[in-house]
Amino acid sequence: MRYSVARLTSLARSLCKADLSWSIPRIFQPQKMEETKNEKILLVFDFDHTLIDSNSDTYIYKLAPGGKIPDSLKSLYRKDGWTHYMAEIFKYLHENGITKEDIFKCLNEIQLTNGMEKLLNSVPKGKSECIIISDANSVFIDHILNNFGVQHHFREVFTNPAKFNDEGCLTIEMYHLQNWCTLSTKNLCKGHILANYIKSREKENVTFSSIGYVGDGVNDFCPSLRLQECDLVFPRRGYSLMQHIPKMETEQNLKIKANICPWEIGKDILDRILLCFDNLGSTKAPVPRLCIPFDDS
């Protein structure tokens, strides 16, 4: 079949005007998918009088001659703070023949707080993280956690670094030296540590829809103050944090936004924190994740 030039020209024009989109495969630019966040519950624990039912630092006083610390050493706490004070205590014990083995044997007497081991074992794994922020020291915490076989429950432990030197004397250093937080001691701002931990996990695509902070002392107020309304503060009944919370609200207008849930045993914490897992994935973490009571950057 032959076509004239005019006929071919007419067909070409018709094809140019036709919608051929049905016959030409479309090339799609792959859309950048929004990265799914790994959402969890964060449990933050103090150590002394919280995870354990004693103060690990003062517990070893019994190793001193006569079971007493000289007044000359006690005065150092008022002058230089707790970390320097404990460094002198360790030096004093060493000078009086107390060995590494003596210290560990003494620490073995310390018990976990009632219900804490069950709490750690019962929190859903893979959906939660546990960390410790403590003004104790790394040697004591590591030994006690290992003694009870619960060290694997904690992703991080933030505390004053300690070690035994070549002479067998326990030495300790400050976790950091801070001057931005008047609510905390100079060697340990727990709120700052918590904020940095959350930032580091966000970079690893982990967010926390709820945070539970478990503590007992005045130095647990700063991190508690940073929590949002979706979070929980667990102050231990009969300890200083319980009284400090209303005092700071009345005297300095520093009000904690998080739900305040007093506790006596681990079960009190477990029963309440398990409710947070019911809403995991259905609620978004607040932005910013923490309150910012002051600039500590």
Side-chain angles (χ1 to χ4, degrees):
M1 183 181 293
R2 294 183 179 182
Y3 292 97
S4 66
V5 173
R7 177 61 174 160
L8 291 172
T9 302
S10 177
L11 286 171
R13 286 175 179 172
S14 297
L15 286 171
C16 289
K17 294 178 180 179
D19 181 8
L20 301 179
S21 59
W22 57 270
S23 61
I24 301 174
R26 295 182 180 180
I27 301 175
F28 291 96
Q29 182 69 28
Q31 292 184 351
K32 187 176 181 181
M33 299 296 291
E34 185 175 347
E35 203 170 7
T36 303
K37 298 290 185 182
N38 186 4
E39 197 170 282
K40 295 183 177 183
I41 306 296
L42 176 63
L43 268 174
V44 187
F45 292 89
D46 177 41
F47 189 67
D48 293 327
H49 290 306
T50 298
L51 274 171
I52 62 172
D53 208 16
S54 304
N55 182 321
S56 57
D57 283 334
T58 60
Y59 195 85
I60 65 166
Y61 287 2
K62 62 169 65 180
L63 296 175
K68 294 183 179 180
I69 301 299
D71 292 338
S72 59
L73 283 181
K74 290 181 179 179
S75 64
L76 293 176
Y77 173 58
R78 292 192 293 271
K79 292 179 181 178
D80 300 298
W82 188 256
T83 310
H84 178 71
Y85 167 65
M86 286 308 303
E88 293 300 315
I89 295 294
F90 298 149
K91 182 179 178 182
Y92 175 73
L93 293 176
H94 178 68
E95 291 171 347
N96 282 274
I98 300 302
T99 66
K100 174 181 177 179
E101 290 71 26
D102 294 328
I103 291 175
F104 285 161
K105 184 178 179 181
C106 182
L107 294 175
N108 288 343
E109 300 171 4
I110 294 176
Q111 298 298 309
L112 293 176
T113 300
N114 185 9
M116 279 298 172
E117 188 168 4
K118 183 177 181 180
L119 165 62
L120 295 172
N121 287 326
S122 300
V123 173
K125 303 299 181 287
K127 298 180 180 180
S128 63
E129 290 183 5
C130 296
I131 64 172
I132 294 172
I133 308 178
S134 167
D135 201 11
N137 69 77
S138 58
V139 168
F140 284 11
I141 293 177
D142 289 348
H143 180 79
I144 293 172
L145 292 182
N146 278 280
N147 187 44
F148 286 100
V150 296
Q151 72 281 359
H152 63 283
H153 290 294
F154 299 98
R155 189 176 184 276
E156 296 274 359
V157 176
F158 302 94
T159 189
N160 302 300
K163 64 179 181 180
F164 288 93
N165 63 20
D166 293 340
E167 288 74 39
C169 179
L170 183 59
T171 61
I172 184 173
E173 299 176 3
M174 293 191 295
Y175 178 83
H176 57 202
L177 181 61
Q178 66 90 17
N179 59 6
W180 57 79
C181 179
T182 58
L183 302 175
S184 306
T185 56
K186 65 181 182 180
N187 68 291
L188 195 79
C189 175
K190 294 187 175 186
H192 179 80
I193 294 170
L194 175 60
N196 283 344
Y197 180 77
I198 290 173
K199 288 177 184 177
S200 70
R201 295 302 282 142
E202 286 176 346
K203 291 178 181 178
E204 296 167 342
N205 208 37
V206 175
T207 61
F208 302 107
S209 59
S210 292
I211 301 171
Y213 189 93
V214 187
D216 70 282
V218 171
N219 65 351
D220 295 311
F221 182 76
C222 173
S224 300
L225 187 64
R226 297 179 185 233
L227 300 184
Q228 300 275 24
E229 293 177 356
C230 59
D231 301 320
L232 306 166
V233 174
F234 295 94
R236 191 175 185 184
R237 292 187 187 275
Y239 288 79
S240 57
L241 182 59
M242 276 290 295
Q243 289 74 43
H244 197 64
I245 291 173
K247 178 182 178 183
M248 294 302 285
E249 182 176 350
T250 301
E251 296 181 1
Q252 298 192 34
N253 197 32
L254 295 175
K255 180 177 174 59
I256 291 175
K257 291 184 177 181
N259 298 285
I260 298 174
C261 310
W263 67 281
E264 292 181 356
I265 60 175
K267 186 178 184 299
D268 300 331
I269 302 165
L270 178 62
D271 288 347
R272 182 61 185 86
I273 203 69
L274 286 178
L275 298 177
C276 297
F277 291 92
D278 294 339
N279 299 320
L280 191 61
S282 62
T283 57
K284 290 186 177 180
V287 178
R289 185 57 191 84
L290 296 179
C291 302
I292 308 174
F294 36 71
D295 183 12
D296 60 355
S297 58

